[in-house]
Amino acid sequence: MERLGVDLDRLSEPLTLFEGTAREGVPHFPANVNIAAVLSMGGIGFDRTRLKAVADPRLTHNTHFIEVRGKTGNISIKLENVPSPDNPKTAWLACYSALAALKQIQASARYGT
């Protein structure tokens, strides 16, 4: 956050770091917005997917709010990922996902895509 002039350790209230399209925002936060990238690729694309990155000192988990709106209804999801004990800058779930991907490379059978 140095390039934005933000000292995260001194933050006392939520601060919006970025708000715009996923295409514009994902390159600025590659370690934090993998969910936005995946939703863009699997959904309406990087140019129509909106991203808002907020630093909030009150949160203890890496938190994602996902809102999907369509003709048939709306979906709201809140994800709170527990930080990895070895690297609090990444989610513990990300570590398990990486291990699962490595195991899948060696598997003789594959399910899904």
Side-chain angles (χ1 to χ4, degrees), residues 73-112:
N74 303 314
I75 302 170
S76 296
I77 301 169
K78 178 181 177 183
L79 301 172
E80 294 180 300
N81 296 313
V82 174
S84 166
D86 297 327
N87 179 7
K89 291 185 177 185
T90 193
W92 209 351
L93 181 59
C95 300
Y96 285 122
S97 295
L99 287 172
L102 290 172
K103 285 181 181 179
Q104 189 177 33
I105 290 171
Q106 301 263 336
S108 60
R110 184 173 178 160
Y111 303 95

